[in-house]
Amino acid sequence: MSSCPTEKPCVLGFDQFGFAVFRRHCNKWKQEHRSHEYSYPSVSASKLESWQEMLSNWNEAGASCMDKMLSFLEAGVPIKLRGHLWKCLLGSDLIKGSSLHTYREYVQELRSQLASLGVNEYGVQVAISTLDNADKERTKMDSRTCNLAPNRNPDVTIETLRQIVLDVERSFPTHCSLMGRNPEAKEGQAKLFRILSAYAKYNPQIGYCQGMSYIAAMLLMNMQEEDAFWALVVLLEKPKYLAGFYEHSLDTIQRHAKIFQQLLKHRMPCLWQHMENLEVAPLLFITTWFLTLFTSLPCWDSVLAIWDLIILDGINVIFSTGLCILQLLEPRLLTMSDVSVLLPTLLRIPVDVSRYTVLVPALWVTKVHKWELDCMQSVVLEEEELLSSGRHSTQAAAVEKMTKLNGKNSPDSKGAGGKRSTRSSASAGRGAGQQETLKNTLTKMLKIARCYLQDLRHLSEGHKESLSQDKALIIHGHSKRRLTTLNNKGQSRKGVNSGKSRSERSPR
């Protein structure tokens, strides 16, 4: 246990969620960005009994359980039942039952690989950091030999093991299950190492990527080791959740950053413009938010409530949470004219915004629907196509210019008037193409919105009315803003009127 300069122990104890409470003015206290003043609702004995009854009958009454889930979540999840609830919502037991290999088999293969290096999961930190080239070469040879076995999974590379070890040490270093070198912490670190290494064997195409350790550690805090592994598999591979987030190309997270930027532009135009002026792109801060699922927030009761909703509704809640945080921060962000002040605020969310009584009620009324994400993704794809076609047009113009320069003194060269005419017609053609692309974007957005509005017939009458009003307002807002964009890009009045008539004629 570390000590502060006065020789008094830094750690005063651990809070109800297992995080260390440090003595004020100790170095650890200054570095720690965590509040221990929680407002998580207590669950009454009758509500606890209702939770237990619902979860015990989950397999037989899954649909009816889902119908009342939102009201149950809003009242608060019993801490001891959270892991069971997450298992039920994720359906991880189904993935476990359909897998060709058991978790125990993945762990056994991992231990065999570590034994060939002369270490085990409890002493891997020191060994991995001191491996020399001979060890790497021997591991490659052993891996080739092992991979010849038909029922054996590929060994985890030394580089992957080293990265996992580094991230295990960085993940929640002040939580009692991972902090220090006591037996409990050693076992917690070994569990986290085993889960992440086993997943690298389970899905060698992805292997390991930074950020996964926070997801796995959160699951371990609420579940048994094997259950946490299969829950991790579902979260990382199911499209409803984080599929593609941890690709080494980072294409998915970059696309989500663009979608988030579109949402921000339409929901909070003033803040979007302010951040544009400061050149603060969403990718700079939502990468941390999304890849760790907001576990960097200082109020852990808020983090748990966010996770409950994410595991229930998936990626929609991830975007909703990001927008909700920005809505709460918007007044103070608009006063910041220096990026060196604004960006750290986004990366280290203030405690007053993160408190359960502030963030969670705001999150419950901040909704991002699946259809809206589809619309924003359509906009992003259209803009990427437009940008790509613009590059091609620029390249074509450059080639044309070089051709004209090369043939300037030839008898076939055209006069200045011909050049101006050619440039003018090319520019007009590009403008018409851009205008048509933007029109197509608006049409696609409205088409997607109509599909989702038609699906509302299958909802209950009460939900139908409120959701229809929300979606109609959002569609109107999207249509108006896209038409404004068309106008700013030089569309003729006739084109604008045509776009408005189309939106007005769309069925509600």
Side-chain angles (χ1 to χ4, degrees):
M1 186 177 295
S2 59
S3 300
C4 60
T6 60
E7 299 302 317
K8 293 180 181 179
C10 272
V11 179
L12 297 174
F14 295 90
D15 66 22
Q16 67 189 85
F17 296 113
F19 288 95
V21 180
F22 294 100
R23 190 180 300 277
R24 291 180 69 87
H25 310 304
C26 180
N27 288 334
K28 285 284 187 180
W29 179 83
K30 294 176 182 177
Q31 297 169 7
E32 177 73 352
H33 181 56
R34 190 167 300 285
S35 169
H36 304 284
E37 299 176 5
Y38 299 119
S39 307
Y40 195 78
S42 58
V43 180
S44 64
S46 60
K47 197 67 175 177
L48 177 61
E49 187 177 339
S50 299
W51 270 106
Q52 292 171 333
E53 181 181 356
M54 180 180 68
L55 293 176
S56 63
N57 297 323
W58 186 272
N59 292 333
E60 293 76 23
S64 61
C65 292
M66 293 299 292
D67 290 340
K68 54 186 177 182
M69 184 56 62
L70 284 176
S71 62
F72 270 59
L73 290 183
E74 194 167 9
V77 180
I79 295 175
K80 293 183 179 179
L81 297 181
R82 179 168 272 111
H84 190 182
L85 171 65
W86 288 0
K87 276 182 59 180
C88 292
L89 291 175
L90 291 170
S92 52
D93 281 345
L94 296 175
I95 302 298
K96 173 184 174 180
S98 62
S99 174
L100 297 176
H101 300 277
T102 66
Y103 176 65
R104 182 174 295 182
E105 288 172 341
Y106 289 118
V107 171
Q108 189 56 50
E109 290 179 5
L110 172 66
R111 284 172 172 162
S112 299
Q113 180 184 353
L114 293 176
S116 70
L117 300 173
V119 296
N120 59 43
E121 63 261 43
Y122 297 95
V124 72
Q125 286 88 346
V126 176
I128 291 293
S129 62
T130 57
L131 282 174
D132 56 23
N133 292 330
D135 288 322
K136 293 181 183 179
E137 189 59 35
R138 178 164 58 86
T139 303
K140 289 179 182 177
M141 293 175 63
D142 292 344
S143 179
R144 294 191 194 102
T145 304
C146 291
N147 291 340
L148 295 176
N151 295 322
R152 186 179 175 92
N153 296 288
D155 281 349
V156 185
T157 65
I158 295 298
E159 290 75 14
T160 299
L161 291 175
R162 179 181 287 108
Q163 188 60 59
I164 291 173
V165 167
L166 290 173
D167 286 351
V168 165
E169 294 176 342
R170 298 167 182 162
S171 302
F172 306 115
T174 64
H175 192 270
C176 61
S177 66
L178 297 166
M179 178 181 178
R181 305 303 303 162
N182 60 71
E184 181 186 2
K186 285 183 178 180
E187 183 60 37
Q189 292 165 9
K191 287 179 181 179
L192 184 54
F193 175 79
R194 287 195 295 264
I195 287 178
L196 294 171
S197 300
Y199 182 78
K201 294 179 73 67
Y202 176 86
N203 189 342
Q205 285 74 28
I206 296 178
Y208 176 77
C209 180
Q210 283 184 303
M212 287 183 185
S213 59
Y214 292 94
I215 308 301
M218 169 63 119
L219 294 170
L220 266 177
M221 291 177 195
N222 294 276
M223 299 178 175
Q224 296 298 317
E225 181 178 345
E226 184 172 355
D227 291 334
F229 171 77
W230 293 111
L232 180 70
V233 170
V234 175
L235 283 174
L236 298 188
E237 303 199 354
K238 202 170 182 179
K240 177 180 178 179
Y241 299 110
L242 306 176
F245 273 51
Y246 298 96
E247 294 171 346
H248 293 286
S249 65
L250 296 179
D251 289 341
T252 299
I253 198 67
Q254 290 182 41
R255 184 169 65 254
H256 285 321
K258 293 177 181 178
I259 293 172
F260 188 84
Q261 186 172 26
Q262 288 293 333
L263 286 170
L264 179 62
K265 181 178 180 180
H266 287 76
R267 295 283 190 96
M268 290 175 277
C270 292
L271 180 59
W272 170 80
Q273 188 60 61
H274 181 63
M275 294 173 70
E276 283 280 300
N277 294 339
L278 294 178
E279 298 182 349
V280 177
L283 188 63
L284 296 176
F285 56 90
I286 73 157
T287 302
T288 299
W289 292 0
F290 283 21
L291 292 184
T292 64
L293 287 189
F294 303 97
T295 53
S296 61
L297 292 178
C299 300
W300 198 249
D301 50 353
S302 297
V303 175
L304 290 172
I306 291 169
W307 269 63
D308 293 338
L309 288 172
I310 289 175
I311 290 178
L312 175 65
D313 283 336
I315 192 172
N316 303 2
V317 180
I318 301 176
F319 282 91
S320 299
T321 305
L323 285 176
C324 181
I325 291 172
L326 289 182
Q327 286 171 352
L328 294 172
L329 285 174
E330 183 174 17
R332 72 185 74 177
L333 293 178
L334 290 175
T335 66
M336 298 175 182
S337 57
D338 190 342
V339 67
S340 65
V341 177
L342 186 144
L343 189 55
T345 303
L346 293 172
L347 294 174
R348 197 175 171 92
I349 304 300
V351 171
D352 64 307
V353 168
S354 303
R355 292 197 187 283
Y356 185 93
T357 53
V358 175
L359 178 57
V360 176
L363 178 58
W364 276 94
V365 297
T366 304
K367 301 294 183 184
V368 174
H369 301 290
K370 177 64 166 59
W371 75 269
E372 192 175 2
L373 290 181
D374 290 343
C375 286
M376 294 298 100
Q377 183 167 358
S378 178
V379 173
V380 168
L381 293 176
E382 289 287 355
E383 289 185 347
E384 288 178 351
E385 291 177 8
L386 183 61
L387 183 62
S388 177
S389 63
R391 288 198 190 105
H392 291 317
S393 299
T394 303
Q395 292 172 357
V399 171
E400 182 181 357
K401 184 176 182 180
M402 290 299 296
T403 303
K404 290 179 178 180
L405 288 174
N406 291 336
K408 187 174 182 180
N409 297 323
S410 68
D412 295 331
S413 61
K414 298 181 180 179
K419 290 181 183 178
R420 280 195 299 270
S421 174
T422 303
R423 281 197 299 269
S424 176
S425 61
S427 176
R430 285 195 298 273
Q434 293 174 356
Q435 175 180 316
E436 187 62 31
T437 302
L438 290 171
K439 286 182 180 179
N440 292 337
T441 300
L442 178 59
T443 303
K444 287 183 179 179
M445 288 172 61
L446 293 174
K447 186 183 294 184
I448 293 170
R450 283 198 299 271
C451 291
Y452 280 92
L453 286 171
Q454 289 169 0
D455 289 343
L456 291 177
R457 289 177 299 180
H458 303 292
L459 299 175
S460 64
E461 205 59 32
H463 289 298
K464 178 178 179 181
E465 181 178 355
S466 61
L467 290 175
S468 298
Q469 290 173 351
D470 289 345
K471 292 182 179 181
L473 287 173
I474 294 169
I475 296 167
H476 178 70
H478 283 318
S479 304
K480 185 176 180 180
R481 291 186 183 96
R482 298 307 295 169
L483 290 169
T484 303
T485 303
L486 291 172
N487 190 31
N488 291 340
K489 288 184 175 292
Q491 185 188 27
S492 66
R493 183 174 301 275
K494 179 181 178 181
V496 174
N497 292 336
S498 174
K500 288 181 179 176
S501 337
R502 268 200 309 278
S503 66
E504 291 167 358
R505 285 197 301 269
S506 357
R508 295 293 176 116

